[in-house]
Amino acid sequence: MFRFIFRLAAMVALSISVIMAVLDATRTVAASALVLTPLNTSWLAVSPGTRAEFETFVRTKAGPLLWDGAVAWVLNQPGFAVFAALAFLLYAIGYRRQPRGRFAAN
């Protein structure tokens, strides 16, 4: 059951990654220059309230050092790359290995 949930979450993250990549590709063609939109910019465009709440939550619960170091760095990366990496990690967690036979011929 948990593997299904992780694989479903991976599929959703991959879908978001593809949508963000298509948006960046469209902007790149329109501008005739490489355009990579950071996750922070996309998040602020979609829902600035949740972004501000997330920042205050991380700063109060985990400390400003975590926000300034790790979270701010992740938010400055291209959004499609962040969601693609998240999809890969979630799929790897939910991956089921195929049972191996006793012999090499199997």
Side-chain angles (χ1 to χ4, degrees), residues 28-53:
T28 296
V29 169
S32 296
L34 183 63
V35 176
L36 299 174
T37 307
L39 181 60
N40 191 31
T41 305
S42 299
W43 195 353
L44 286 173
V46 172
S47 180
T50 58
R51 164 58 177 74
E53 290 173 7

Side-chain angles (χ1 to χ4, degrees), residues 10-89:
M11 185 183 69
V12 170
L14 185 62
S15 300
I16 293 171
S17 174
V18 168
I19 290 169
M20 294 180 89
V22 167
L23 288 173
D24 282 349
T26 305
R27 291 180 184 135
T28 296
V29 169
S32 296
L34 183 63
V35 176
L36 299 174
T37 307
L39 181 60
N40 191 31
T41 305
S42 299
W43 195 353
L44 286 173
V46 172
S47 180
T50 58
R51 164 58 177 74
E53 290 173 7
F54 179 68
E55 181 177 358
T56 57
F57 177 78
V58 170
R59 284 187 182 271
T60 57
K61 299 294 182 188
L65 183 62
L66 179 69
W67 177 263
D68 294 334
V71 177
W73 182 82
V74 169
L75 289 176
N76 286 327
Q77 301 308 311
F80 75 90
V82 173
F83 276 102
L86 179 64
F88 174 74
L89 289 175

